[in-house]
Amino acid sequence: MKKILSIAVIAVIVMAAGTTFSAPPSGFASTTVVVNAQMAAICQEAQHGSFPNPITIDALAGSDQIFSPAVDETLKCSNGTVFTVKVSSANGTAVGQTCTSSGVSSMALRSAGTPGDSIAYTFMCAGDTDGVGHFTGGGYTTAKALGISIKVPAANAQTAVAHADYSDTVTLTISY
Amino acid sequence: MKRYMIVLAAMTIVLAAASGALALTLTPTVTATGTVTDTCTSATNGSITFTIDPSGAATLTPATTDAGNTSPSVKCTKNQSHAVACSSAHGNKLTIGNDGSTDPIAYTIPTCAATITGGGFSAATSIPIGISILPAAYQNALIGAHSDTITVTITY
């Protein structure tokens, strides 16, 4: 019986001591959230390009004739997006040719009334970043101009049959 | 007075033991007192993964509650209220390589609960986190992965 009593007394003392030093705990726990955002590579046409209608080709010109567009073709692309422009000619043989500052040949203006009469020309994209057809987007608030133009070599102009209905439709395909 | 009474009691016990004529029963009691501490531990980390289309004109509001994402969670003492705070590792900016400087996309953290109530340690309490990105912050951002880490701190 004495042994039991002694144990009880000790137990009470321990509990009392625990109460005395049980200050409210305080601390921090933390967890994390990892945020991963992937900036997508996107391109959209900002401005549709066109050439003056009509353009006048001088058959007597002694040099190549270069015609600038009435409105340049521009694109809005994600910043850093590298894209290429493929050119196809409705009347020429060019299909999906990479447009560069040096231009795509195998383009042709064809007479609507005399389809057998055509004038070969070159379609150029002077806005390429590296000269081999790579363009780089500058962000969605900055439209990138392709710098399109066409060139009619002097020899082609000099041998062309006079018509007022030459035309071609150029399709630009943007790959990125 | 106290000394006097103790002496008498001792004498009584001695006398009873000597005679064997009296039975003495002692019934000790023990009082047990327990205190449940107020504490928390982290349970799971969260994630927000999303794609930014720079052609958009809307404010982006991805959150841990979106499909495929995960809300962080903690385990805290039941029914105790705990303060919550969210902080970015890189000044509320998503950056390429999570380096804090390359092509920063600024954002805010509009969804971060001020407090949570603990649910006990058998069940984790989810803490939804949401961020907001204005169009001007992402329209000209470079393509590629941008990251940051948000630390959710629970005070107890």
Side-chain angles (χ1 to χ4, degrees), chain A residues 141-160:
Chain A
T141 61
T142 305
K144 174 70 176 178
L146 299 189
I148 60 174
S149 63
I150 63 176
K151 180 175 69 177
V152 178
N156 296 350
Q158 292 165 359
T159 58

Side-chain angles (χ1 to χ4, degrees), chain A residues 1 4-5 8 11-12 15 19 22 25-42 44 77-82 138-142, chain B residues 33 37-38 40 42 44-55 72 94 131 138-156:
Chain A
M1 183 61 78
I4 294 173
L5 280 173
V12 170
M15 289 300 296
T19 301
S22 62
S26 176
F28 302 94
S30 66
T31 181
T32 61
V33 176
V34 176
V35 183
N36 293 308
Q38 182 68 36
M39 276 298 301
I42 299 289
Q44 287 183 351
C77 292
S78 306
N79 197 354
T81 300
V82 176
Y140 241 74
T141 61
T142 305
Chain B
T33 303
T37 58
D38 184 8
C40 293
S42 63
T44 59
N45 294 324
S47 68
I48 301 176
T49 300
F50 61 105
T51 298
I52 298 176
D53 179 351
S55 66
L94 302 169
I131 69 173
Y138 67 76
Q139 285 176 329
N140 290 329
L142 289 168
I143 57 172
H146 293 64
S147 304
D148 193 18
T149 302
I150 297 171
T151 298
V152 183
T153 302
I154 296 88
T155 304
Y156 56 87

Side-chain angles (χ1 to χ4, degrees), chain A residues 62-149:
Chain A
S63 59
D64 297 345
Q65 297 172 70
I66 295 176
F67 299 94
S68 297
V71 178
D72 199 359
E73 177 77 22
T74 64
L75 300 172
K76 292 191 296 184
C77 292
S78 306
N79 197 354
T81 300
V82 176
F83 61 95
T84 58
V85 179
K86 304 291 187 182
V87 177
S88 298
S89 170
N91 294 324
T93 58
V95 177
Q97 299 295 305
T98 299
C99 195
T100 66
S101 53
S102 57
V104 174
S105 57
S106 303
M107 310 289 286
L109 296 164
R110 188 176 302 278
S111 168
T114 310
D117 292 343
S118 63
I119 305 171
Y121 71 98
T122 299
F123 188 91
M124 297 172 288
C125 295
D128 63 337
T129 306
D130 56 3
V132 294
H134 293 125
F135 298 78
T136 303
Y140 241 74
T141 61
T142 305
K144 174 70 176 178
L146 299 189
I148 60 174
S149 63

